[in-house]
Each structure stands twice: as structure tokens, then as C-alpha cells.
Amino acid sequence: MKILFNVEYFTTFGESLVLNILSEDAAKTSQHKMSTLDGQHWFVELNMTQKGAFIDYYYSVMKGDEESRHEWLVEPHRLEFAATKASRYTVYDHWIDIPEDAYMYSSAFTDCIMARKRELSSKNEYQRTVRLKVRAPQLRQGERLAIVGEPVQLGAWNVLKSVPMTEHECHEWVVSLDALKMPVGRIEFKFIVFNADPNDAPMWEEGANRSIDLPLLTDDSVIVYELSQATFPVYPWKGAGVVVPIFSLRSEGSFGVGDFGDLKLMIDWAAKTDLRFLQVLPINDTNMTGTWQDSYPYNSISIYALHPQYTDFRQLPEIKDKEKRDQFEALRQELNALPQIDYERMFNAKMDYLRELFAQEWAKVSRRASYKEFFEQNKEWLVPYAQFCVNRDKYGTADFNQWPENAPKPSSSAAGKEQAFWYFVQYNLDQQMHAAHEYARQHRVVLKGDIPIGISRDGVEAWVEPKYFNLNGQAGAPPDPFSADGQNWGFPTYNWDEMLKDGCQWWVRRFRKMAQYFDAYRIDHVLGFFRIWEIPVPEKSGLEGQFSPALGLSREEIEAYGIYGHDDLFLVDHKRADRWHPRIAVQYQAPYEKLDEGEKYNFNRLYNDYFYRRNNQFWYQEAMKKLPRLTQATRMLCCAEDLGMVPDCVPWVMNELRILSLEIQTMPKDPTVRFGKLSHNPYRSVCTFSTHDMPTLRQWWDEDAEQTQAYYNGPLRRSGDAPHPLPGWLAKDIVSRQLTSPSMLCLLSLQDWLSIDERLRLPDQNAERINIPANPRHYWRYRMHLNIEQLLQENDFNENVKTLVLQSGRK
């Protein structure tokens, strides 16, 4: 079979195009150089043996032997071999860059919100075939695409005789037409949308009629036209959601902490109230010390392993020993009645329970086909994780530097019962989280996960893959309104030079594992992909940090600003001893006070240029080396937390990669306003009032009376004195305003949703706080005060939430 590929692309001198055909598992590609006669129209003809029903492929631009750019990889071109008699295909493609509506191709939409059945085209026996392909991402669940046009074969503009199309790939629709029944020459047509109700009139695509000049085809040939995207008069989709950590969930049957069974119940509540997104905090294992300090969810010991605390025992066989079963049940009821999580008692009890189950069930589980499949698919990380846990428990510390030199290394062949226990734990967690994910999709609720920027320096990855990390550095954040001393998270920083050598495969594997459980994700501290605030070991204060990487200043550059001496105003670069960085917030320190007014003026010019202008292009290039690889590694919807000291280049990259920003009205990105204008939120954004690192709405309201009064009289447009504490009717007004913003997503914390109902909300608003960033030893123990079964029965409240969502056009 011969296939002639054609694509139009304007190249410059020294550039060429190649065709990349993906293998069935998309792990490998075969490259084929293309030719051109004019530097614009590129083609290549291949002789291929048909092995499957289709091939997927994409085009790349080459400069010499190096790839300089390639098409968007989330959804490559697809060529189906639907014509059984065809021996020659001629394909006319167009170059596919990341579309403006790339979010519509995420699994959040294609497999959840707008899920439709996709299938390959039916086989045909046409002697000559015209095949049309078009992408139409605006179609909602239950809608289908058809083509209608001038020729009789296309219905002669009669929609009742239109030709239905097949969605063979996400949002890409195809139709095969018998060329012998089609006129040679120009044909005109349009695409139309039918919904599930046959009595509704179809929706026509916008713009002028489409036209194609059909050539005279030879027998056994197929001509394929890939057409430009179809657009319809549809208002951009907007949705609402709830944010709550899984550990904070409470049900009648949970064991003192939220678990993956409770997650299903929370999905029920979200579906009942038309909340399409359910966002959680990181769910990876953080068990290092066995104490309450392990409650911090952003300090995981593995980027793959799930936290054992989330095991739902209701989905596992019960313990056969009645005495032990009764003891565990009594302890479960006691822990579940507590207003907050008792992490140490809960975790120890759940681990004891898991060890009892392991002794009882392992022989049976280890023979299951599903377990064997799980082990084979995950052994690359599972075996090191299990050995790490065994060593940690044996030597009494997760700090592998304190283990003896002969401490056992990861080995699947040498695994004993202690290693097998951790295989058992992770297998059950994996099965339960997969089930929750599938349950969410069935209910059209998108699970949104959280990818922490850091990893623990006492974790599996630092132990087995130290080359990827700078273990002599600590990630943190410069001073901000939450912490005048800055923040020191303690995580090692990334060795990006090493990571880029293999195309960031460490990150790609991490994202792909997460995509097994989630259809959307939040990149924690996305600024870390541009530059990270790096504090050298053993310093504790965030004030001792500097951005890395960054273009440090030479001595000559510093002196060019009129600053001579005064080395105490600067920090030496971590990599180059002949480069310096101005100390962050040094204006509040003694070295700055020693300067005269002229020197202060000169230093401030240097300071502002360094932090806000000097590195912009450099940081843009750094981010573009990394983020495109990661955002295209999966089909999850990509959102990012872009708060803090944000350089100008951050929105450039986020817009270019179609990443959703985070917009918080009380933390505006415009430095000229005190409160952000909700109407100015970009569509591609997530709107919220508070995050887990902030006071809840009710706490914020009573935190600063002057600030609240300004908000009450300003954005809320209300006169008089602001009422305290926050009444439910006013909380409802604030929530409603957030929902009516232009942001694609409005995701509010469970506490802020409950704030609208004075009868339901927690009486003590200060008990709603999840984290205080200024306290590095904060105890993460918040649990919702009512159980989810009660929440599901609160019909008045649920109807209020549903109405707010509906009135804001989010559904």
C-alpha cells in the first residue's frame, strides 16, 4: 500500500520537515524525511504494509539533525484504513499547533464532562473514496456531528438527509464518501450538530460554506482531507467545584480519617449539587517518622506510592478473628468521633489492621491476575519503595544517610514478606483509587489532583535517583504576606541539567502515573519550573535564599549602578563565585540602613531590575525547556498555582501552553489595586476565594476589620459598617460573585461552600483552617464536622448550592 503525505508549512533556510509515525503504544517513532519544491508544500510517499486499523503520526521541523519544534502531541494525526479495496492513499494535512481550546481535549472533558462513545469508522468497499476529517471540540455530551452540502450525496442542503459522521478520536470526526457518486470539481458543504432530542433543530457551523475541489480519482484510491476546526455558536463552558483534602472527609464508616471510600461519597455529593470538579490535596505516602509531623501532605517519601491512611477497609475482607475485629471496630468508632484527626493513633491503628489483613489474605491476593498485572506495571517504583519502607522501619529512620553501608538495596528477586506487605498495601490502594476515579467519570465529576513542587530529601527518589537532585540545596519561597522570613520547605532542589538529558522522563513518569487517578491536576508552585528559591544547607531562614537558576550580577555590573563595596547587600551565587545576587528584602535590614540616600536609590534600581526585569527572558527559556514536555505527557487538564513573586514571563508561558492560572480576589496580580476585579479574570483560569494555605472566607472576614470594611464598601458595593461575624446571606453573596466571574472554573473550599448556611457551618470558624504556611511544623488535621451521609440529606443546602451553580451558568 502506498501513502502520499502532504502538509503545508513555511520553512526558513536550513529547516526541513520529517514525518514521525508512532508505534502502537506510542513509545517509539519511525522518522521519514520529507521533500519540497518551494519550501512551503512538503510531501513524502511511503510503501507500507498494513498492520493495524490505523496509524497515528505527527510532523517535526528539523535543523540539521536536531528537532527544533514539533506539532502538538496530545492528539496527533490519525489515518484510518477503512477502505478495504484501497491500495493508495493521498493525505492532505495541516500543521497542528496547540489550539486555543486545548483544554477541551483533556480527559477532564473527553472522558468525563463531555464523554461520548468513540469508535473507528465502519469498513467500506468503495472503489474510490473521499474521506473528510474535522475537529469539533465544542460538542457536548450526547451531541453528534453530521455533514450536509450541495451534492445529492450530502443531502442537497436538507438536514434530514445529512450524512452522519463518526468520532474516531477525541473531538475528531470522520466520514467516508463514495467518490464515484460525487461530482468532480468544486463541492460546497457545512457541518451541523444534532443533540439527543430528534425534535430539536440542528446547529449550523459558523462562517461561509466550505468548499473542496475534488479531483478525478483512480480505482482503489482514497483521498483524505484534514479540514480546519469547525466552530459553532456555543458559549464557552464553565464549571464549579469543591476543594477538600481526602483526609478531611468524614463518613459514618471511616476510620478516623477520610479514605478512598469516602471519596466516592463526596463524588455523590458533588454530582447531586452539579459541582463538576472535586479537587484534593496530594495523596502520596508521607510516612517518615510515624508521628503527627507526617501529616504534611506535600512531603512525600514517594512520588508514586499512595498513603496507607487512605485504605478503605470496607472494600476489603473483614478480619476473621472476632475478638480482634471487635477491638478494631471500637477503636474506629472512637477515632471517627473525634473533631480532628489524631494522626498517630489513626495511622498506627490502620497499619496494625493492614498487617492483620496481610497475614490473612496475602496467599490469596498474591495469586490474583489483577495483582500480578499491578506488580508488573509498577515494579520499577514499587520494589524500591517497599525496600525503603523495610529499611526505614528496621533502622528507625527515613534518613538513608544514617543507614549502614550494607543496608539492603531494591531487588524484586530477593523480596521477602516484609517487602510483600508493602506490595499488598499499595495494590489495595491502587485498586481503590482506580475505582474512585472510574466512579467519578461515571458521575461526570472530574477528580483534580495536586502535584507538589518538591520531594522529600529522606525519600525513595532521593535514595535511588540522587543524580536528579541538588541535595545541598533547599527549596522554599521568598518573604510574602504570610511569612516575613520567607519559607524553607526543606525539599532538595532539582538538577534540571541532568533531568533534561533524558527529556525529563522522571517528570513524565510521574505525570503519567498521576493520570491513572485524575483527569485534572494543579501544579503546586509552578514558578519552580522557571526558577526556585534555593536556600543552601544548613541555613534555615528563607532570607538566605536566591533564585536558581538566575543571571547573577558581575562586579562590573554592580559598580555600574554606582554601588561600591557593600558586599553584605549581596549573596554569592551558588554555582559561580564571581557572580552575586541582591539579598531579598534587605531594605529592612541593617546593611541597607547604612547606605546614604544616593546609594539607597542606586541599590533600589539594581534590586528592582534584578528581581523584575533582568531574568525574564532567561526564565521564559528555562520554563519552555520543561513545561511543554510535561503538559503534553498526559491528557489531564493542566492548572497551576502561580501566586507569589511572579515575574512577567510566567503569564507568557502559561498562555502559550494553555495552562489555567489561579485567580484570588484578595491576592490580585495587578499591584495597582487592593482587590482583584472578578470581571477581569481571564477565561482560562481557576477562581477561588481561599486555598488550603489561607484563612477560610469566614476567618478572613474577621482577621482584619479595616480590610474587610474596604472589601464590603468596595467590591461588594455595600454601604455602612460590615457585619461581624460573617452572616450566611452575605457569604452567599460573596460565593455568588465568585461563581459569576469569567473564569472557566470556580473551585471553592468545602468550608466556604458551607459558610452560606449558618445552621450547617462549623460554629468555630478558626477550627476550619487547614494550614498556616508561616508555621513549618503545622499539624494538618482538619476534618469536616458533619459526615457526608448527613450532607447528602441536607436538601435545602444542596438545592441552594445547585441553584447558585445554575444561575452562574456553570453546569
Side-chain angles (χ1 to χ4, degrees):
M1 178 172 57
K2 290 186 176 182
I3 309 177
L4 176 62
F5 294 90
N6 298 271
V7 66
E8 188 173 325
Y9 186 93
F10 287 92
T11 51
T12 60
F13 181 76
E15 291 182 334
S16 62
L17 259 62
V18 296
L19 168 71
N20 305 276
I21 298 179
L22 297 164
S23 59
E24 286 189 18
D25 61 359
K28 298 179 180 179
T29 61
S30 60
Q31 279 198 342
H32 307 273
K33 292 183 178 180
M34 304 186 74
S35 302
T36 184
L37 299 176
D38 58 4
Q40 176 182 351
H41 300 89
W42 292 83
F43 59 90
V44 62
E45 185 172 68
L46 304 179
N47 283 307
M48 298 185 65
T49 301
Q50 183 180 336
K51 295 181 180 179
F54 62 89
I55 58 170
D56 288 338
Y57 59 95
Y58 66 95
Y59 299 101
S60 296
V61 178
M62 307 293 289
K63 283 190 175 181
D65 295 329
E66 296 292 325
E67 181 183 76
S68 61
R69 70 184 303 244
H70 56 69
E71 290 186 289
W72 188 48
L73 299 182
V74 171
E75 186 157 315
H77 304 270
R78 173 165 291 180
L79 175 62
E80 276 191 75
F81 304 117
T84 59
K85 295 183 178 181
S87 60
R88 179 176 178 82
Y89 282 76
T90 302
V91 181
Y92 291 97
D93 288 323
H94 62 267
W95 180 273
I96 300 177
D97 268 323
I98 180 171
E100 282 293 325
D101 52 8
Y103 52 88
M104 299 298 292
Y105 292 85
S106 69
S107 59
F109 289 90
T110 61
D111 297 340
C112 191
I113 296 170
M114 299 175 183
R116 296 182 296 270
K117 182 182 178 181
R118 297 186 292 272
E119 58 188 359
L120 295 179
S121 307
S122 301
K123 297 290 185 181
N124 68 75
E125 297 186 353
Y126 301 152
Q127 199 70 37
R128 306 172 188 179
T129 306
V130 175
R131 189 167 173 82
L132 304 179
K133 297 196 302 180
V134 68
R135 294 188 175 186
Q138 292 173 289
L139 272 63
R140 306 299 201 241
Q141 190 177 47
E143 295 179 334
R144 56 188 177 84
L145 199 67
I147 183 172
V148 64
E150 183 179 16
V152 173
Q153 291 76 11
L154 295 182
W157 295 115
N158 183 347
V159 296
L160 299 178
K161 296 180 180 180
S162 59
V163 181
M165 302 182 73
T166 301
E167 188 178 16
H168 75 151
E169 201 177 6
C170 300
H171 296 313
E172 184 167 270
W173 298 77
V174 293
V175 64
S176 294
L177 304 170
D178 187 348
L180 290 175
K181 297 180 180 179
M182 299 286 288
V184 175
R186 176 158 297 190
I187 62 168
E188 293 194 358
F189 58 92
K190 273 198 165 186
F191 297 109
I192 55 177
V193 176
F194 290 96
N195 65 24
D197 188 345
N199 297 316
D200 286 353
M203 178 167 48
W204 291 71
E205 73 168 312
E206 297 177 315
N209 293 346
R210 294 176 182 257
S211 64
I212 288 178
D213 292 319
L214 292 181
L216 179 63
L217 301 181
T218 58
D219 287 347
D220 303 329
S221 64
V222 178
I223 189 167
V224 182
Y225 292 102
E226 186 177 73
L227 305 174
S228 59
Q229 180 171 309
T231 57
F232 297 89
V234 176
Y235 191 79
W237 184 90
K238 296 200 300 181
V242 60
V243 183
V244 61
I246 295 179
F247 61 73
S248 298
L249 300 178
R250 183 191 297 271
S251 72
E252 293 175 354
S254 50
F255 207 121
V257 69
D259 57 40
F260 290 152
D262 296 339
L263 181 58
K264 285 186 175 180
L265 287 173
M266 200 64 190
I267 291 166
D268 288 336
W269 180 74
K272 185 171 186 175
T273 52
D274 285 342
L275 297 176
R276 289 284 158 242
F277 274 70
L278 173 50
Q279 178 178 325
V280 301
L281 296 191
I283 59 174
N284 296 108
D285 189 356
T286 60
N287 179 29
M288 281 186 283
T289 65
T291 68
W292 64 266
Q293 295 179 61
D294 296 342
S295 66
Y296 178 35
Y298 288 87
N299 193 28
S300 64
I301 63 168
S302 169
I303 60 174
Y304 303 107
L306 303 178
H307 201 305
Q309 72 177 348
Y310 296 123
T311 307
D312 177 15
F313 296 144
R314 292 164 290 188
Q315 299 182 49
L316 299 176
E318 67 177 12
I319 293 175
K320 293 177 181 178
D321 186 313
K322 185 178 185 305
E323 182 179 351
K324 290 182 178 179
R325 188 171 69 243
D326 290 346
Q327 289 174 350
F328 277 118
E329 175 58 19
L331 182 55
R332 184 198 70 77
Q333 292 184 20
E334 179 187 345
L335 291 172
N336 215 34
L338 297 175
Q340 294 178 308
I341 298 168
D342 185 335
Y343 184 88
E344 293 175 18
R345 290 185 66 205
M346 172 277 299
F347 184 71
N348 289 333
K350 296 197 83 165
M351 293 306 296
D352 290 343
Y353 195 112
L354 284 167
R355 291 194 180 277
E356 287 290 337
L357 271 183
F358 172 73
Q360 176 182 299
E361 300 292 329
W362 174 241
K364 188 188 306 180
V365 169
S366 63
R367 294 194 296 269
R368 286 181 192 166
S370 60
Y371 167 75
K372 292 177 180 178
E373 181 183 10
F374 164 76
F375 183 84
E376 284 302 313
Q377 292 178 351
N378 296 276
K379 61 185 178 183
E380 295 301 320
W381 66 264
L382 183 61
V383 171
Y385 163 77
Q387 189 61 59
F388 179 91
C389 292
V390 171
N391 290 359
R392 174 201 60 206
D393 297 343
K394 180 179 180 179
Y395 302 118
T397 177
D399 183 355
F400 50 85
N401 293 305
Q402 297 184 32
W403 297 346
E405 290 185 11
N406 62 348
K409 301 290 192 246
S411 172
S412 58
S413 60
K417 276 205 168 182
E418 281 303 309
Q419 289 84 354
F421 168 71
W422 295 104
Y423 300 164
F424 172 78
V425 169
Q426 289 302 316
Y427 165 71
N428 289 322
L429 288 163
D430 178 79
Q431 297 290 295
Q432 293 183 6
M433 189 58 201
H434 269 295
H437 183 207
E438 185 57 35
Y439 189 78
R441 284 184 168 183
Q442 292 169 1
H443 287 73
R444 296 181 63 220
V445 174
V446 177
L447 287 186
K448 181 183 176 189
D450 194 333
I451 294 186
I453 187 60
I455 61 112
S456 172
R457 64 178 55 251
D458 297 329
V460 182
E461 284 73 37
W463 179 44
V464 298
E465 300 176 294
K467 67 178 183 179
Y468 289 132
F469 311 101
N470 298 316
L471 296 172
N472 59 348
Q474 305 168 92
D480 59 26
F482 300 115
S483 177
D485 196 47
Q487 298 177 46
N488 184 343
W489 304 324
F491 310 134
T493 56
Y494 293 111
N495 182 353
W496 285 109
D497 293 338
E498 192 65 36
M499 287 186 161
L500 287 166
K501 287 179 183 178
D502 62 7
C504 295
Q505 285 304 302
W506 186 88
W507 282 96
V508 169
R509 292 192 297 271
R510 183 181 189 182
F511 275 55
R512 287 178 177 168
K513 181 60 180 176
M514 192 174 188
Q516 296 178 14
Y517 307 132
F518 299 100
D519 288 308
Y521 63 99
R522 165 190 177 269
I523 300 178
D524 170 48
H525 194 66
V526 73
L527 304 184
F529 290 91
F530 296 76
R531 79 292 186 273
I532 196 73
W533 190 250
E534 186 177 64
I535 306 157
V537 173
E539 298 291 346
K540 299 298 183 185
S541 171
L543 295 174
E544 296 300 316
Q546 62 186 239
F547 285 126
S548 178
L551 301 174
L553 294 157
S554 67
R555 179 71 67 186
E556 291 75 19
E557 287 177 299
I558 295 173
E559 292 177 351
Y561 277 93
I563 302 169
Y564 301 91
H566 303 296
D567 287 354
D568 48 2
L569 295 172
F570 299 87
L571 290 170
V572 178
D573 186 88
H574 294 165
K575 292 184 178 180
R576 293 187 58 175
D578 63 342
R579 291 292 183 271
W580 289 266
H581 305 262
R583 286 181 177 272
I584 191 74
V586 73
Q587 290 89 341
Y588 303 100
Q589 299 173 24
Y592 179 82
E593 292 301 323
K594 296 177 182 177
L595 303 178
D596 60 36
E597 290 306 310
E599 289 174 324
K600 287 180 179 178
Y601 173 79
N602 289 337
F603 179 79
N604 287 337
R605 283 195 307 121
L606 176 150
Y607 185 93
N608 291 331
D609 179 71
Y610 172 84
F611 282 113
Y612 298 104
R613 288 182 290 273
R614 176 183 178 86
N615 289 284
N616 264 326
Q617 194 61 38
F618 176 67
W619 286 337
Y620 167 83
Q621 293 167 354
E622 286 296 309
M624 291 302 290
K625 292 177 186 176
K626 309 156 192 171
L627 285 173
R629 302 172 191 265
L630 309 186
T631 56
Q632 296 186 44
T634 73
R635 289 181 49 246
M636 291 187 290
L637 177 66
C638 182
C639 310
E641 180 265 291
D642 55 336
L643 305 176
M645 199 170 178
V646 183
D648 290 345
C649 59
V650 172
W652 305 346
V653 171
M654 292 184 60
N655 285 331
E656 192 168 336
L657 300 181
R658 318 295 190 250
I659 299 173
L660 274 65
S661 63
L662 180 61
E663 306 297 329
I664 301 177
Q665 190 177 19
T666 56
M667 294 180 64
K669 293 171 182 173
D670 179 355
T672 65
V673 298
R674 186 170 186 180
F675 303 107
K677 296 181 179 179
L678 293 174
S679 61
H680 290 187
N681 284 7
Y683 171 67
R684 234 174 8 240
S685 69
V686 178
C687 172
T688 192
F689 193 88
S690 64
T691 73
H692 62 273
D693 282 335
M694 299 169 60
T696 62
L697 169 58
R698 292 167 63 206
Q699 280 185 302
W700 178 87
W701 190 262
D702 288 336
E703 193 175 58
D704 183 331
E706 186 276 328
Q707 178 178 247
T708 301
Q709 190 63 48
Y711 183 74
Y712 185 75
N713 300 140
L716 295 185
R717 300 277 193 263
R718 295 182 179 276
S719 59
D721 294 334
H724 290 273
L726 179 67
W729 63 266
L730 188 52
K732 185 176 180 179
D733 179 42
I734 294 171
V735 166
S736 176
R737 290 169 187 262
Q738 303 290 313
L739 287 166
T740 53
S741 74
S743 298
M744 181 202 299
L745 300 178
C746 180
L747 308 182
L748 303 175
S749 70
L750 177 63
Q751 301 95 306
D752 288 352
W753 279 113
L754 289 170
S755 70
I756 70 175
D757 192 314
E758 295 184 29
R759 181 180 57 85
L760 275 187
R761 66 193 192 184
L762 188 65
D764 180 9
Q765 63 195 40
N766 293 318
E768 295 182 330
R769 186 76 183 257
I770 294 176
N771 180 41
I772 301 174
N775 178 12
R777 293 173 59 83
H778 182 74
Y779 192 170
W780 298 59
R781 62 189 312 196
Y782 165 73
R783 279 192 94 189
M784 54 191 293
H785 61 290
L786 69 168
N787 62 50
I788 308 173
E789 291 90 345
Q790 291 173 313
L791 189 60
L792 285 164
Q793 297 303 314
E794 291 293 340
N795 293 329
D796 289 344
F797 170 71
N798 293 335
E799 196 58 38
N800 261 334
V801 172
K802 194 171 182 177
T803 300
L804 284 169
V805 172
L806 182 64
Q807 289 176 341
S808 65
R810 298 180 181 272
K811 188 172 180 181

